[in-house]
mmCIF file of all heavy atoms in Angstrom:
data_model
loop_
_atom_site.group_PDB
_atom_site.id
_atom_site.type_symbol
_atom_site.label_atom_id
_atom_site.label_comp_id
_atom_site.label_asym_id
_atom_site.label_seq_id
_atom_site.Cartn_x
_atom_site.Cartn_y
_atom_site.Cartn_z
ATOM 1 N N GLN R 94 91.866 241.181 9.026
ATOM 2 C CA GLN R 94 90.705 240.393 9.460
ATOM 3 C C GLN R 94 89.445 241.198 9.178
ATOM 4 O O GLN R 94 88.754 241.609 10.106
ATOM 5 C CB GLN R 94 90.804 240.069 10.950
ATOM 6 C CG GLN R 94 92.033 239.248 11.305
ATOM 7 C CD GLN R 94 92.190 239.077 12.806
ATOM 8 O OE1 GLN R 94 91.304 238.586 13.486
ATOM 9 N NE2 GLN R 94 93.317 239.514 13.316
ATOM 10 N N TYR R 234 129.900 185.309 29.393
ATOM 11 C CA TYR R 234 131.206 184.656 29.316
ATOM 12 C C TYR R 234 132.206 185.488 30.100
ATOM 13 O O TYR R 234 132.309 186.695 29.892
ATOM 14 C CB TYR R 234 131.691 184.589 27.869
ATOM 15 C CG TYR R 234 130.882 183.692 26.970
ATOM 16 C CD1 TYR R 234 130.118 184.225 25.944
ATOM 17 C CD2 TYR R 234 130.919 182.308 27.140
ATOM 18 C CE1 TYR R 234 129.394 183.404 25.093
ATOM 19 C CE2 TYR R 234 130.196 181.483 26.304
ATOM 20 C CZ TYR R 234 129.436 182.032 25.278
ATOM 21 O OH TYR R 234 128.731 181.213 24.457
ATOM 22 N N PHE R 251 151.138 203.311 17.470
ATOM 23 C CA PHE R 251 151.296 204.508 18.304
ATOM 24 C C PHE R 251 151.133 204.111 19.762
ATOM 25 O O PHE R 251 150.692 202.998 20.077
ATOM 26 C CB PHE R 251 150.261 205.581 17.946
ATOM 27 C CG PHE R 251 148.871 205.028 17.743
ATOM 28 C CD1 PHE R 251 148.134 204.559 18.812
ATOM 29 C CD2 PHE R 251 148.318 204.974 16.455
ATOM 30 C CE1 PHE R 251 146.865 204.052 18.616
ATOM 31 C CE2 PHE R 251 147.038 204.461 16.267
ATOM 32 C CZ PHE R 251 146.320 203.999 17.341
ATOM 33 N N VAL R 282 135.170 213.563 18.688
ATOM 34 C CA VAL R 282 135.665 213.117 17.384
ATOM 35 C C VAL R 282 137.191 213.142 17.370
ATOM 36 O O VAL R 282 137.811 214.089 17.846
ATOM 37 C CB VAL R 282 135.138 214.003 16.228
ATOM 38 C CG1 VAL R 282 133.740 213.611 15.855
ATOM 39 C CG2 VAL R 282 135.204 215.477 16.589
ATOM 40 N N LEU R 306 131.172 193.907 15.502
ATOM 41 C CA LEU R 306 131.341 195.362 15.501
ATOM 42 C C LEU R 306 130.338 195.955 14.517
ATOM 43 O O LEU R 306 130.371 195.639 13.331
ATOM 44 C CB LEU R 306 132.776 195.724 15.100
ATOM 45 C CG LEU R 306 133.099 197.213 14.897
ATOM 46 C CD1 LEU R 306 132.758 198.048 16.116
ATOM 47 C CD2 LEU R 306 134.582 197.398 14.546
ATOM 48 N N GLU R 322 141.812 194.256 10.183
ATOM 49 C CA GLU R 322 142.687 193.366 9.413
ATOM 50 C C GLU R 322 144.149 193.739 9.613
ATOM 51 O O GLU R 322 144.983 192.882 9.877
ATOM 52 C CB GLU R 322 142.346 193.481 7.928
ATOM 53 C CG GLU R 322 141.044 192.808 7.575
ATOM 54 C CD GLU R 322 141.260 191.653 6.640
ATOM 55 O OE1 GLU R 322 141.559 191.928 5.466
ATOM 56 O OE2 GLU R 322 141.132 190.488 7.083
ATOM 57 N N SER R 509 127.457 200.170 -2.732
ATOM 58 C CA SER R 509 128.490 200.176 -1.704
ATOM 59 C C SER R 509 129.873 199.852 -2.245
ATOM 60 O O SER R 509 130.867 200.342 -1.714
ATOM 61 C CB SER R 509 128.110 199.257 -0.547
ATOM 62 O OG SER R 509 127.805 197.995 -1.035
ATOM 63 N N VAL R 546 135.522 221.878 3.496
ATOM 64 C CA VAL R 546 134.721 223.039 3.126
ATOM 65 C C VAL R 546 133.257 222.599 3.180
ATOM 66 O O VAL R 546 132.886 221.606 2.560
ATOM 67 C CB VAL R 546 135.063 223.517 1.702
ATOM 68 C CG1 VAL R 546 134.191 224.709 1.324
ATOM 69 C CG2 VAL R 546 136.542 223.856 1.589
ATOM 70 N N LEU R 561 131.216 216.751 11.185
ATOM 71 C CA LEU R 561 131.851 216.941 9.875
ATOM 72 C C LEU R 561 133.257 217.516 10.057
ATOM 73 O O LEU R 561 134.214 217.049 9.452
ATOM 74 C CB LEU R 561 131.003 217.876 9.010
ATOM 75 C CG LEU R 561 129.737 217.246 8.412
ATOM 76 C CD1 LEU R 561 128.818 218.315 7.837
ATOM 77 C CD2 LEU R 561 130.097 216.218 7.337
ATOM 78 N N LEU R 627 106.200 217.379 30.328
ATOM 79 C CA LEU R 627 106.529 218.709 30.838
ATOM 80 C C LEU R 627 108.005 218.861 31.212
ATOM 81 O O LEU R 627 108.584 219.901 31.038
ATOM 82 C CB LEU R 627 105.674 219.023 32.074
ATOM 83 C CG LEU R 627 104.193 219.293 31.846
ATOM 84 C CD1 LEU R 627 103.525 219.651 33.165
ATOM 85 C CD2 LEU R 627 103.983 220.420 30.844
#
Side-chain angles (χ1 to χ4, degrees):
Q94 299 173 57
Y234 293 112
F251 44 71
V282 280
L306 174 55
E322 287 244 288
S509 53
V546 179
L561 284 167
L627 289 183

